[in-house]
Amino acid sequence: MKTRTTYAILLLLPVTLLSLPMAVQGHAINYALEKAPVSHVVWFYLKLGVQHIIPFGTDHILFVASLCLLSTRAKTILWQATAFTVAHSVTLALSMKGILVAPGAVVEPVIALSIMFVAIENMLLSELKPWRIAIVFLFGLIHGMGFASALNEIGLPGNQFYTSVLSFNAGVEIGQVIVIACVFLPVIIPFGKRTWYRKFVVYPASILIALIAGYWVFKRSFI
């Protein structure tokens, strides 16, 4: 009963956040790129998207890494990564358009909470459950607003909005693929079938990730 209540609360957190009153405002303008060639704009935001994951997005790195630990099957990782990608792509675009805006003071602790939740769930589950996809999707919506907050600090050229957003999102995806490859290739492929894999890889890694994320939740909420 307690487990179901916990899941219900965590499922409602992103929904509650998305239902907060939103202040409609335009994105910041990057005047330096207003007259830049399209190729320059694409490269600038593509690189920015990658850098937002690697090396500067430690929280997003841990979230994506956690998605890889639930199962050794590539299909499981693919389903979760797809749900996460679709979700954060939607809220990234909506946030940059000013249609969906949430305060960083709320978004950042929830991002940390999502990392902690997925890490703990990795220790409780041995295979992908339907609700896991829904949870990853809902938390992906929150991560998208986090991406938008970072992107808004740089701003976008007003005449190349979609080019900039798509390029940034493509960069984020490249960064996420690199993280998945760094977990799947050297860890899951050689060791995933070993009998001790969950005991000596999944559990220690998930505990460490959960502790780091728990600290972030506290820091981002109260400090």
Side-chain angles (χ1 to χ4, degrees):
M1 186 64 181
K2 290 183 178 180
T3 302
R4 292 181 180 178
T5 302
T6 301
Y7 277 122
I9 293 173
L10 288 169
L11 278 170
L12 286 172
L13 274 174
V15 177
T16 302
L17 178 58
L18 292 174
S19 65
L20 289 174
M22 301 301 174
V24 178
Q25 57 187 32
H27 60 80
I29 303 297
N30 187 333
Y31 293 102
L33 294 176
E34 281 278 275
K35 297 181 180 180
V38 174
S39 59
H40 183 76
V41 172
V42 169
W43 175 246
F44 179 85
Y45 287 100
L46 184 71
K47 183 172 63 174
L48 188 66
V50 174
Q51 291 175 339
H52 189 65
I53 300 296
I54 300 172
F56 303 122
T58 308
D59 49 357
H60 298 297
I61 289 174
L62 291 186
F63 185 82
V64 174
S66 293
L67 298 183
C68 299
L69 294 175
L70 176 62
S71 172
T72 59
R73 295 187 301 174
K75 183 179 179 180
T76 299
I77 298 172
L78 179 61
W79 272 110
Q80 295 176 96
T82 300
F84 182 63
T85 295
V86 171
H88 78 63
S89 298
V90 170
T91 47
L92 172 60
L94 292 177
S95 295
M96 293 310 296
K97 272 293 188 181
I99 297 172
L100 185 64
V101 182
V106 178
V107 172
E108 292 304 317
V110 176
I111 288 177
L113 181 63
S114 72
I115 301 167
M116 184 174 67
F117 176 79
V118 172
I120 293 173
E121 195 176 47
N122 285 338
M123 295 181 282
L124 301 178
L125 301 179
S126 59
E127 61 181 15
L128 185 69
K129 301 294 184 182
W131 68 74
R132 170 74 171 231
I133 299 297
I135 289 170
V136 169
F137 182 84
L138 289 171
F139 282 136
L141 296 175
I142 307 303
H143 281 249
M145 285 187 280
F147 291 142
S149 177
L151 183 55
N152 204 40
E153 293 179 5
I154 304 296
L156 301 175
N159 57 346
Q160 298 193 56
F161 175 84
Y162 292 106
T163 299
S164 305
V165 170
L166 290 174
S167 298
F168 179 81
N169 197 61
V172 168
E173 293 314 305
I174 291 172
Q176 291 176 174
V177 169
I178 293 173
V179 174
I180 291 173
C182 288
V183 176
F184 198 79
L185 296 178
V187 178
I188 295 178
I189 289 181
F191 306 119
K193 300 299 182 182
R194 304 295 179 89
T195 55
W196 45 261
Y197 175 72
R198 285 189 61 80
K199 182 177 181 180
F200 292 108
V201 176
V202 176
Y203 290 148
S206 296
I207 290 172
L208 178 61
I209 291 173
L211 289 174
I212 293 173
Y215 167 73
W216 284 338
V217 172
F218 176 78
K219 181 180 179 180
R220 295 175 183 183
S221 299
F222 303 107
I223 298 179

